Amino acid sequence: MDQLSLLIILTAALVTPLTMAWLRLSILPTAVVEILVGILLGPSAFNLVHSNTTLTLLSNTGVIFLLFLSGMEIDFSLFNRRRVPQTPLAAKVASQAPKYSPVFLAVTSYVSIVILALVLGWGCVWLGLFKDPWLAAIIFMTISLGIVIATLKEKELLSKPFGQTILLIAALGEIVPLFALTLYASIFGSHSRSLWLLLLIFLAAGILFLRFKPFFNFYERINKSTTQLDIRLAFFLIFSLVVIAESVGAEGILGAFVAGIVMKLLQPHEDTKVRLDGIGYGFFIPIFFMMSGADLNLRQLLAQPATLLLIPAFFAAYLLAKVAVYAILRLRFKRQNSLAGAAISSVTITMVLAVLQVAKTMHAVTTQQSGAFLLAAILTCVLGPLVFNLSYVAEAEDLKKTTVHFIGTNLWTVPVAQQLAKSWYTISMYTDKAANYRTYNSEVSVDLLDTLEPADVEQQNAFDADIVVLGHFNATKNYQLAKAAKAYGVSRVIARFEDRNVLDAREDELTDLGIEVFNTPNVNIAMLRSLIETPATSQLLTSSATTVYEVTLRNRRYTEQAIRQLPFVGDITISQIFRDRHFIRPTGATTLKFNDRLIFTSSPETAREIRRELGILN
């Protein structure tokens, strides 16, 4: 029977996503559907699956792996953003908008959630619904980070201010309850120990981080397909910190979460994250979700009037704990989006399952109360994404065009600026020559600079752009300005560098800094050679109907997909993929990777949409 139950669970784990795809059921997160399937397989319906030692072990491993992957989802770069461009246009927009950062909005929102959760916890005690206000408050302040990330990713919002705000709220909604649960178990648990011992977990995490910090620097040189060292490192981190956490009286899930943070800080390769997701979501985590449903007996729960009262009461508490988020988000975002943000912040399931698992071992919750908490959480997972998808509309700041600043106005740069200004770019040009200013100012926006000294250029806001193009004829000036722009924090710097001294190492220095260098004589030579060897190249590059474009794949909606699966594959032709400093000749079965540079041909209108879709950081 043990083997049969496991076989049924694994079969259901395979069939569930296939059925969801066939029915086009995207309104519910996969985790919620898996819990519902577990309810059907358990004593609540068909009574086909029964808990046993094997399933319990795999389920416990599933929750540990889930918390580990949740730790890896924390984006620490959100706390260290590049300063906001202060161009006159940006300053004007900023002066008209509330000046509240995503970090401020997220922290303020979550403080309100904690306060309301404590009030609701004591309210449950006062109404006689639950006897432990602290445990109830911990449950009410939880947010499911995984579901929030999936929802934001589908809307391509993770890199935008609204998405960053909601992501930080959700991250706090997993981190804070996790630490609160650890403190709760340490204080009220039967095997509680001194709280200072919890510091040993973070001490061990720090030691492991320092010890393995250079790991991925030499990983590629020593890794083999038969060793999978990065995966072995992940499991070592997980179980090392889980064992340490349980040894000092904390919960194992805290150690798993901290292990995920350590792994994230080690900056693993994208392939490593993909394989860990495959192990977790492909095997352990579905078993955990399905067994969470299979362990419920709804026939017994719903037969008791007290449970029927608890479900709507707990469901209302989940929503009320996040009601102040709406008012705080309104400080910066639209009314519809504030409602969407409050709705998706009410989604909770992952930490509720973890908290209830700990509460059961401490005998702090009854079967009826545990079932009511879980069923109410499932309802939030249905309502939250539904309201979010129906309510969200694009914010004005999300529609900002890519800002390109040209330093140097001449017959090379002005035509390019004029053409780009007609598409998805905001163009500004700068020159230190009064004659060029008078010549070109009527054709494109040009600002006259006193000098091209880096300090003066920076003071005139010329580096406040997404892309800075240095097209001056003077190689030394371009060299100095390119280094200054990169140091300032410009994400892309393109510099013209033409020096006849073949021993000059400055071009290599710029390339090593990540600056894109071009040389017009070399470009002309390459173009003439292509025209001789492949006559169609000239027509392709200069055609207004079909042109060559490039985009760096940063939208994770399309990573790990075969080219043939792209929804717009019929509108473009991908000729090359540049990956890890090598060109790949793609086929329909070629799998796309994060940061792949795709070289493709299409019409300008199609290219604009595809570059926005693939290039957006998500």
Side-chain angles (χ1 to χ4, degrees):
M1 288 299 295
D2 289 359
Q3 295 176 341
L4 180 60
S5 293
L6 177 58
L7 178 60
I8 293 173
I9 288 291
L10 293 178
T11 303
L14 172 64
V15 173
T16 297
L18 294 175
T19 304
M20 291 179 65
W22 180 57
L23 297 176
R24 296 182 179 178
L25 181 61
S26 58
I27 192 172
L28 291 178
T30 304
V32 176
V33 177
E34 288 170 345
I35 293 174
L36 296 176
V37 170
I39 291 175
L40 293 175
L41 295 177
S44 301
F46 300 113
N47 200 27
L48 297 175
V49 173
H50 302 87
S51 182
N52 54 62
T53 304
T54 302
L55 285 175
T56 300
L57 175 62
L58 293 175
S59 178
N60 291 339
T61 305
V63 70
I64 287 174
F65 220 92
L66 180 62
L67 269 295
F68 169 76
L69 294 178
S70 296
M72 288 191 67
E73 294 288 359
I74 305 299
D75 186 2
F76 295 98
S77 65
L78 295 178
F79 297 92
N80 185 29
R81 309 298 290 182
R82 180 169 68 91
R83 54 178 163 175
V84 178
Q86 294 298 313
T87 60
L89 177 60
K92 181 179 178 181
V93 174
S95 65
Q96 297 173 349
K99 298 179 181 179
Y100 297 103
S101 69
V103 174
F104 172 81
L105 293 174
V107 172
T108 306
S109 296
Y110 197 73
V111 168
S112 73
I113 292 174
V114 172
I115 294 173
L116 289 176
L118 290 170
V119 172
L120 291 167
W122 285 101
C124 287
V125 175
W126 183 70
L127 293 173
L129 300 177
F130 198 65
K131 65 179 182 179
D132 193 326
W134 305 110
L135 186 60
I138 292 173
I139 293 176
F140 294 147
M141 69 176 69
T142 59
I143 303 174
S144 182
L145 178 62
I147 294 177
V148 170
I149 286 176
T151 305
L152 294 176
K153 190 178 293 186
E154 282 300 310
K155 288 285 187 178
E156 299 177 346
L157 296 174
L158 284 178
S159 63
K160 299 175 181 178
F162 178 79
Q164 294 170 13
T165 304
I166 303 304
L167 177 63
L168 285 173
I169 294 173
L172 292 171
E174 280 209 341
I175 295 173
V176 175
L178 188 58
F179 284 102
L181 177 63
T182 301
L183 294 176
Y184 175 87
S186 299
I187 296 172
F188 300 105
S190 58
H191 300 289
S192 60
R193 302 187 183 184
S194 300
L195 291 178
W196 68 268
L197 290 175
L198 298 179
L199 297 176
L200 294 178
I201 303 174
F202 303 100
L203 177 62
I207 293 173
L208 289 172
F209 170 71
L210 294 175
R211 174 62 184 85
F212 291 100
K213 189 175 181 179
F215 178 84
F216 286 97
N217 292 334
F218 61 88
Y219 157 74
E220 289 183 345
R221 300 199 305 268
I222 61 176
N223 188 48
K224 300 177 181 178
S225 60
T226 55
T227 56
Q228 299 292 326
L229 289 175
D230 52 344
I231 306 301
R232 297 189 187 193
L233 173 64
F235 277 98
F236 171 76
L237 293 175
I238 292 172
F239 288 100
S240 294
L241 291 174
V242 166
V243 169
I244 293 173
E246 293 181 346
S247 299
V248 300
E251 295 303 321
I253 54 176
L254 174 62
F257 188 82
V258 174
I261 293 177
V262 172
M263 191 69 177
K264 174 76 173 186
L265 292 174
L266 291 176
Q267 299 179 336
H269 297 165
E270 188 70 17
D271 288 347
T272 300
K273 177 67 166 57
V274 170
R275 292 202 299 277
L276 288 172
D277 280 345
I279 295 172
Y281 289 104
F283 183 68
F284 293 110
I285 295 174
I287 295 177
F288 166 65
F289 282 129
M290 289 190 177
M291 288 307 301
S292 298
D295 288 337
L296 288 175
N297 191 331
L298 294 186
R299 295 179 181 178
Q300 294 181 359
L301 292 175
L302 299 180
Q304 302 182 26
T307 305
L308 296 177
L309 176 64
L310 289 175
I311 294 174
F314 290 159
F315 176 67
Y318 284 133
L319 300 182
L320 290 174
K322 282 82 176 182
V323 70
V325 174
Y326 170 83
I328 296 171
L329 293 179
R330 280 289 293 136
L331 295 173
R332 176 166 179 173
F333 303 113
K334 296 178 180 179
R335 182 176 290 103
Q336 305 99 303
N337 294 343
S338 299
L339 175 62
I344 199 64
S345 297
S346 68
V347 171
T348 181
I349 190 69
T350 307
M351 279 304 301
V352 169
L353 291 168
V355 173
L356 291 176
Q357 189 178 50
V358 174
K360 287 178 182 178
T361 61
M362 296 175 59
H363 305 290
V365 63
T366 66
T367 303
Q368 291 76 20
Q369 292 167 340
S370 176
F373 275 121
L374 180 55
L375 291 174
I378 292 175
L379 292 177
T380 66
C381 294
V382 175
L383 179 67
L386 176 62
V387 173
F388 182 88
N389 290 326
L390 293 176
S391 302
Y392 182 79
V393 293
E395 293 279 343
E397 58 189 325
D398 294 342
L399 300 176
K400 183 179 74 71
K401 293 183 178 182
T402 300
T403 304
V404 182
H405 287 183
F406 287 81
I407 300 177
T409 55
N410 48 59
L411 293 175
W412 289 94
T413 58
V414 171
V416 175
Q418 290 176 321
Q419 294 177 24
L420 291 177
K422 298 176 183 179
S423 57
W424 198 249
Y425 296 93
T426 299
I427 304 298
S428 293
M429 302 196 75
Y430 299 84
T431 182
D432 63 332
K433 299 183 180 301
N436 289 6
Y437 173 78
R438 290 191 298 269
T439 301
Y440 298 115
N441 189 42
S442 61
E443 302 178 32
V444 66
S445 174
V446 181
D447 291 328
L448 181 61
L449 302 174
D450 294 332
T451 69
L452 286 184
E453 292 298 321
D456 295 335
V457 174
E458 179 179 336
Q459 188 175 7
Q460 294 299 317
N461 304 314
F463 291 156
D464 290 327
D466 300 302
I467 303 174
V468 169
V469 180
L470 302 166
H472 203 280
F473 288 116
N474 190 313
T476 300
K477 289 184 177 180
N478 287 340
Y479 166 78
Q480 295 170 345
L481 290 171
K483 291 179 62 178
K486 202 64 179 179
Y488 183 81
V490 180
S491 57
R492 286 190 65 195
V493 179
I494 302 173
R496 176 179 182 175
F497 190 84
E498 298 167 10
D499 191 273
R500 295 182 179 180
N501 183 2
V502 295
L503 299 179
D504 194 336
R506 291 183 296 174
E507 182 174 350
D508 294 334
E509 181 183 354
L510 294 179
T511 303
D512 293 339
L513 290 173
I515 296 168
E516 301 166 57
V517 180
F518 73 96
N519 182 312
T520 48
N522 288 347
V523 171
N524 291 333
I525 292 171
M527 185 63 189
L528 179 58
R529 177 182 172 184
S530 297
L531 186 59
I532 295 172
E533 294 181 341
T534 54
T537 300
S538 176
Q539 298 178 11
L540 182 62
L541 292 176
T542 59
S543 171
S544 59
T546 301
T547 314
V548 179
Y549 297 94
E550 178 181 325
V551 61
T552 300
L553 178 57
R554 306 183 74 196
N555 190 337
R556 284 184 170 84
R557 288 183 62 186
Y558 301 101
T559 58
E560 301 306 318
Q561 284 193 28
I563 289 178
R564 68 165 68 97
Q565 296 174 330
L566 296 176
F568 41 76
V569 67
D571 301 326
I572 66 174
T573 299
I574 301 177
S575 56
Q576 294 283 345
I577 296 177
F578 190 71
R579 177 188 300 164
D580 297 331
R581 301 182 180 181
H582 297 287
F583 281 102
I584 299 174
R585 187 175 298 278
T587 66
T590 301
T591 300
L592 298 177
K593 304 291 184 182
F594 186 73
N595 276 335
D596 274 356
R597 292 165 60 180
L598 278 61
I599 301 172
F600 66 95
T601 55
S602 73
S603 66
E605 295 77 13
T606 302
R608 189 178 306 123
E609 294 301 319
I610 290 175
R611 292 177 73 183
R612 191 206 69 82
E613 183 75 10
L614 296 180
I616 186 172
L617 178 61
N618 186 40

